[in-house]
Structures are given as C-alpha cells and as structure tokens.
Amino acid sequence: MRRILLILLLVLATAVGVDAQSIRIGEPIPSVSVSTDLNETLDIYNRDYVCMIFAHSESKPCIDAMSNFRTTALDISDHCAIVVITNENEADSAIIAERLSAEDHILAFDIDNRTFRAFGIHYVPFGVVYSSRNSHIVWFGPIHQLNSKVLSPQRKR
C-alpha cells in the first residue's frame, strides 16, 4: 500500500507545471518586437547596457516597484538605457508613463505580446539587463534587486 501511495505521489509531482523564465545569463536576448519612438531607440545604442523592465500600469506592485526604482535608475542611467515594456494600449502612453513613473525612460509597447512570450515573462515587474555591444543577458530578476553594483563588474570587461 505504501508503495502505491509513493508512486501516486510521484506521478502527481511530475504532472505539476512550473512557470520559469526562459532566459539565461550569458545567452543572447530573445526576439524583441516592440513599438517605440525612433529617437528614443537611438538612445539605446549610445549606452553600454539596456535595462528592460516588463511592467503593467494597472498593477499596484509595478507602480510601487517603479517608484522605488527611481534612485537606481539615476545611478545607472549614464551607462544603461532604461526601457519599460508593457503590453497595454499605445494610445494610453501618457497615462501609462505617469503611473509607472517612466517619463524619463523609453516606453515601449509589446506588439501582440510577442516580447513577453519570447522572454517567458509571466509576472511583472521583471527586469532584464543586456549588453548593447553583443546583446547577451548580464542580469535578470525583480527590479528591486537591481542596483549599480550589479553592473559594476560587467563594466570592467
């Protein structure tokens, strides 16, 4: 009886799905399919790194996280372009930027949710930092864990 119960528990444990990000540090970034202002896009190429923050302006955790991110954004903005990606309606860009405290960042709109899917983003806010030189991921995680020290060892390369 014990053996049957153990087998049943093992079968149930393997049937449970896990939501995990589909990205890895050191790998190239997946395909990005967003709509944004061309002038803002040029800012990306003038920085060593790009920090993509996946967010939604109606999410209280996103609003709070972006508000708390302001100090970090100031610390890293000299060498890191900050792009806030949302899958909301582009017509509401001014409201979205205000809610997410993203007026000083590049606001990009995910086309048909392709970028969220490519990166495996299921929960927001979530950040991904990649090198603009080779498009390889150097950091990812919750944005409250990102600070200038995270990127310091990367800049020495």
Side-chain angles (χ1 to χ4, degrees), residues 117-129:
R117 280 195 311 268
F119 280 80
I121 305 299
H122 298 286
Y123 308 102
V124 291
F126 190 80
V128 176
V129 178

Side-chain angles (χ1 to χ4, degrees), residues 72-90:
T72 301
L74 288 172
D75 288 346
I76 67 173
S77 63
D78 287 342
H79 60 276
C80 186
I82 300 169
V83 181
V84 179
I85 300 176
T86 182
N87 53 13
E88 298 174 77
N89 189 339
E90 193 170 353

Side-chain angles (χ1 to χ4, degrees), residues 103-124:
E103 295 92 348
D104 296 329
H105 309 315
I106 299 168
L107 187 59
F109 296 88
D110 194 2
I111 299 171
D112 297 328
N113 210 30
R114 287 186 224 157
T115 306
F116 271 71
R117 280 195 311 268
F119 280 80
I121 305 299
H122 298 286
Y123 308 102
V124 291

